[in-house]
Amino acid sequence: MEIKFKNCEQVTSHLKYVVIVSRYEGQWLLVKHRERTTWEIPGGHIEPGETPDEAARRELIEESTADQFTLVPISDYSVTRAGEVGYGRLYYAEIRHLKLNFDYEIERCQGFDVLPEALTYPEIQPHLLAYVKKHINNQK
């Protein structure tokens, strides 16, 4: 598997996913799907007619219950597995408030100082978090 990061807008027509690395109260916010025992960074598919920014906003609200946040696009990325390439856009969110009323597929969310071992996508999520951390540190 190979992950490549690109400037935003370089692969817009091929984007399928958005992933939103989020911080809340000084911790990385992860979510747990009702049908899984693992943790994941909020994100999901871009719906037809939806821009990546609209999808990121919708997914963050649905999965984390955030209702006050800032959302910043960080990078487009590609993941190549078994010859198949998928494209996504990576975002960073600073969440100021959570409603904690889970109406969709997510059962709960939780803050972490470091990623837990039980990740839904362990081969991808650590790379996405590391890329966002690097970006944040470069902004200081």
Side-chain angles (χ1 to χ4, degrees):
M1 184 184 62
E2 180 181 34
I3 301 172
K4 291 182 182 177
F5 294 95
K6 305 168 185 321
N7 292 332
C8 285
E9 307 297 333
Q10 281 191 298
V11 292
T12 302
S13 64
H14 301 293
L15 293 176
K16 301 274 189 238
Y17 310 99
V18 292
V19 176
I20 309 99
V21 173
S22 308
R23 289 195 51 88
Y24 177 67
E25 296 185 341
Q27 293 187 305
W28 301 108
L29 189 77
L30 300 180
V31 299
K32 186 186 158 308
H33 192 283
R34 292 182 193 282
E35 297 174 359
R36 295 190 271 274
T37 60
T38 52
W39 292 94
E40 53 202 71
I41 297 170
H45 288 83
I46 300 170
E47 299 293 334
E50 194 174 44
T51 68
D53 289 355
E54 291 167 341
R57 182 173 191 74
R58 176 184 52 75
E59 289 289 353
L60 184 62
I61 291 168
E62 288 177 4
E63 294 195 356
S64 73
T65 74
D67 62 352
Q68 296 175 27
F69 55 87
T70 56
L71 184 66
V72 179
I74 300 296
S75 175
D76 288 350
Y77 68 93
S78 64
V79 176
T80 305
R81 274 192 274 198
E84 299 268 331
V85 182
Y87 296 94
R89 180 160 296 158
L90 181 61
Y91 290 82
Y92 172 65
E94 271 291 336
I95 298 172
R96 293 182 299 281
H97 184 261
L98 299 172
K99 293 188 300 184
L100 298 176
N101 58 336
F102 297 96
D103 296 330
Y104 297 94
E105 71 271 10
I106 299 302
E107 178 178 271
R108 65 186 174 119
C109 61
Q110 182 176 323
F112 293 87
D113 291 322
V114 296
L115 289 178
E117 286 187 29
L119 291 173
T120 305
Y121 307 103
E123 68 282 1
I124 299 171
Q125 292 177 347
H127 297 285
L128 300 179
L129 176 60
Y131 193 85
V132 169
K133 283 182 179 180
K134 181 180 167 187
H135 178 81
I136 292 169
N137 288 336
N138 288 340
Q139 298 298 311
K140 293 180 181 179

